[in-house]
Amino acid sequence: MADISQFFANNNINNHKQNIAFIYEPIILQILSLENLSNLVSAILKSANVKEFSELQFDLLRLILERFSTVDEHLPRQLLKDILVQLRRHLPDHESFNRALEKHLLDLPEQNIDMGSFSLNLSLLNPGKEHSATKAGLECALIRKVDVMRELVLSSLTITSDFTRAKDISPYLMALLESFSIPGKDTTRFEWTVKASAETRDQLDKIFARFQVNLYENHLSPEQVNLLQRAASLLPSLDKTKALQNIIQDNRRSNLTAKTVDLIGSLIDSREIADIRSWVLMVLGFLTRRFAEDELLSGKVLMFTKRLGELLAQERIDLSTSAPRAALNAVLESGLQKHIDIPEIVYFVSVMVSQLPAKSLDAGKLLQMVLGHSKNPLLFRDDTPDEISNHMGFVIYYLFSVSKLSQSTITTMDGVLGLYHGTNDIIDTALLNIIWSIEAHLAQSCANRVADWLILERAEGKPFISRVRGRLFVALDSKKLARSVFQYSPHKEAVSNVDLKTFELFMGAVAEQKDTDTRTYNFEFLLPVLTYCLLSDKVIIDVQAAVEKHTLGFAIMGLCSYNKSLNNKACGYIKTVIAMLETSTYRERTQILHLLCAVLVSFTSNEKSDAPQPSHIPTVVGVFLAQSVQVLSNPSHFLYEKVMELLLRQPLLNLHDVPHMISLSNIGEEYHKEFFWILNVLEAGLKTEKDLDLYRKRNVFGNCLNVYNSPYTSDKEKEKIIELLWNAAGIEGGGTTLITRNGIISWVENQLSGALSVENRILMKRLGARLFESSAKEHVNEWSKGNIEYHLRDGILVK
């Protein structure tokens, strides 16, 4: 490094390129450390002094900058400033160095490099020289990173009168706008940064007003499209009408990009429906060809399609009047036929069909294409449907709903059944509505279309309904049936047809659905078909399977529903099971019959009496009875004798009170297993405000808090108690009840004062905070005379 000046002086400029290629490049890019490279930069700068960099020096600096960029590192700040100072009068004609320095500058995390002063002969203001793209790129990078450079360019553009070279000036205006603005919440909109003063904004607006006079004489370049996208949000002087006309009249396929669509969205007046029929027709033709001819769509086409869908979703373009029916259906058919498994295409299709009236759609052809497609995303969805599945569910529902009568056929029913999973999610809700509509039209149950029903111990990976040689086979998952018991929500409101009619409402319902909706079976669908299976002459499901594989417990949960129709369906299934058990040879039929008859008589007697109790039963009672079925079907179960004894105490069951479950457990060999079983039932049975009120009356929470403190309680049982308390906080009034009636805040403080693991300490703090946040704070503060927040802050959160 000491002899670097002599080295540069002795190096012949005619052979330095060969030295660069064979000697310096591998050393700089692979061997020297970053520290040595920084020292090399210092040596180069010292050797240059006041002279310009030589060709060799530019090449070495270019290699060093490339090496730093390759490893995502940056030159020391002072060295970078020294290089810029060396270039302050004019930028070199060394293209590769300019590109390397431009990239290095743009990769810097800093938004501003303090240069003090910066004097530069800008290439855009020198009409006598040919415009250099690499110089312009480097100058624009300097605008984005060097404050004084922004001021220099801004003042230069303010005083210039020559804006005829719009193409050359565009990058500089874009760099200025990028320096003074950031994307807003809507990524297609922009807003000024704090460093953009009112004077700067006004200055930029005046510059742009003079600049755009010549801008629309030619079609816009991609860079100018980006510029107008920012200007649409920031500069009042933008002539939106002329800009929109320029884009509409541009029939170049190369300008059909996502950025162009974003710009159109910014230019269209939100108060009016835009008349851009010629552009829409051109775009639909372009997409139809791409969808039909390309086996694999490019990223550019996919992004363009998605952005176009987002623009159409705003309903500011009247599709039905912008293109003929044939063009609209052609793009839908080509997209669905070859690319039905691509999310961007299905989203675009879902938006398009939602915007079109029945007369503009070839709904029957499109629906049959979708239902019969081997790559339909609904064939491959799991318990957590993705966006493409939700969009496809809407497409199917909408295509059917616009022409119900003509499409209510056996073919359509079989196609929909092949995609149906029997769950409570929005997709299956939409498909079930289609099934019911076809059943009503044909006066024929969908159960007649099924060749066989199976209840498997675990049906993971196996479709709910599958087609084999033209016949439909249903596979029920007994594990999912059991999960449906524990995760049942009795006051869940059914999704109405209104919520499915428009794309916006449909996706809104998707956002509101819970994880359990996709993991539990739909009672209204399954109870009638289970009843059919038991009554069928083919004996599709025998009564033993109905009892032991959770279908009976599943039906009992239907008695908890606030829906009268579902109560009746549950009673119908229970009656069917009773009838089948009376003639069955099933070994455990006697005790199961006793339980079912007691439940049915108790439930119907309440309906006939003038008693104030509601027709539905509390969730916890339903879970207890459903689990009792599994106990009684297994005489070796550790609770078998106790459950039988409980049922034999009286002919009728009190279905509107917490069962005497605590009495099922007492000190003994099976104590922990019995108590954990009870906690499971209590935790699963707390779903509504009425459940909460029942727990409060029977002091369930107080007993659980006491048990938690017992030295005999296991960690597993404590975890389940915390889950119970956590669920209570999620119910209206749960936090208030636990704070004012059970002293939960003091209890949490007491737990935190003991020896807890880090995880349990965090969990206790979160529980205390959740309970307080869910409570009626005004009432709780009045009850505690203002001390509750003190206890929460100092007694819980800081411990």
Side-chain angles (χ1 to χ4, degrees), residues 208-226:
F208 186 84
R210 290 184 289 129
F211 163 77
Q212 71 174 338
V213 172
N214 302 306
L215 178 63
Y216 307 118
E217 294 177 358
N218 301 303
H219 290 312
L220 300 174
S221 67
E223 191 163 45
Q224 289 168 342
V225 168
N226 294 343

Side-chain angles (χ1 to χ4, degrees), residues 263-297:
L263 177 57
I264 287 178
S266 299
L267 297 175
I268 294 175
D269 192 327
S270 60
R271 295 167 296 180
E272 302 175 4
I273 295 179
D275 183 13
I276 56 173
R277 285 173 287 187
S278 59
W279 185 81
V280 171
L281 192 58
M282 176 184 68
V283 164
L284 294 181
F286 166 74
L287 289 180
T288 301
R289 170 167 284 190
R290 294 281 62 80
F291 292 166
E293 295 180 0
D294 297 352
E295 291 296 329
L296 184 63
L297 296 174

Side-chain angles (χ1 to χ4, degrees), residues 468-501:
V468 180
R469 296 178 182 176
R471 304 172 70 197
L472 298 178
F473 294 83
V474 178
L476 290 176
D477 187 337
S478 65
K479 298 293 184 184
K480 186 177 283 191
L481 284 169
R483 189 187 306 132
S484 300
V485 171
F486 277 90
Q487 298 180 350
Y488 179 64
S489 180
H491 59 356
K492 175 178 171 56
E493 296 182 5
V495 178
S496 68
N497 288 338
V498 175
D499 294 329
L500 303 174
K501 282 187 176 179

Side-chain angles (χ1 to χ4, degrees), residues 48 50 60 116 156 200 482 500 675:
V50 296
L60 290 175
S156 299
T200 300
L500 303 174
F675 185 61

